[in-house]
Amino acid sequence: MEGTPKTYVQHLMKENAAELITLLEQGGRLYVCGDGSRMAPDVEEEIRQAYANIHQVSPDEARKWLDGLQTHGRYAKDVWAVNYSVEAQLEFAVTQAAGRSPVILRKGRRFL
């Protein structure tokens, strides 16, 4: 809806921080999947902040806690990030418009 601010997963996590941390401490698992350039780091930061705020610990202690969850397989990430040059984006658009396979090769590297 126009004029309505977007709600992202990290916003909902912040609203429900106590419940999220409680679930994780009771053996819950968290799986983050999606954009590794923006969403995943924001989600991870929100988890660390929630833990630090609830337990009144340092950011470093919160990071160690989250690292522990990851080590024990209770926090997993499946993330992707794409960073194309303007030139590569243009070539991609032209290739698609011409009906060819949307694969961009640049200096021997496959981008898509």
Side-chain angles (χ1 to χ4, degrees):
M1 199 180 228
E2 196 170 317
T4 304
K6 290 185 179 183
T7 301
Y8 294 100
V9 68
Q10 57 270 28
H11 300 146
L12 298 174
M13 292 171 69
K14 187 173 192 164
E15 289 176 15
N16 299 285
E19 184 177 4
L20 173 64
I21 298 304
T22 298
L23 289 170
L24 290 170
E25 291 178 329
Q26 292 176 349
R29 296 172 183 269
L30 182 62
Y31 177 68
V32 176
C33 181
D35 178 9
S37 65
R38 290 187 216 131
M39 182 277 301
D42 290 349
V43 164
E44 194 164 296
E45 179 60 25
E46 189 54 52
I47 297 166
R48 287 192 304 262
Q49 284 182 8
Y51 184 84
N53 291 340
I54 289 167
H55 292 289
Q56 298 297 300
V57 299
S58 71
D60 190 51
E61 289 177 80
R63 182 190 52 75
K64 288 178 185 175
W65 169 78
L66 190 57
D67 288 348
L69 289 181
Q70 191 166 7
T71 299
H72 292 97
R74 295 188 32 233
Y75 173 59
K77 296 180 283 187
D78 182 9
V79 298
W80 49 267
V82 178
N83 187 10
Y84 297 118
S85 68
V86 172
E87 182 181 76
Q89 290 175 24
L90 178 59
E91 184 174 334
F92 177 77
V94 169
T95 302
Q96 273 194 313
R100 295 191 311 258
S101 175
V103 173
I104 300 170
L105 296 176
R106 239 341 139 231
K107 297 180 182 173
R109 293 184 57 197
R110 184 180 175 142
F111 287 89
L112 288 178

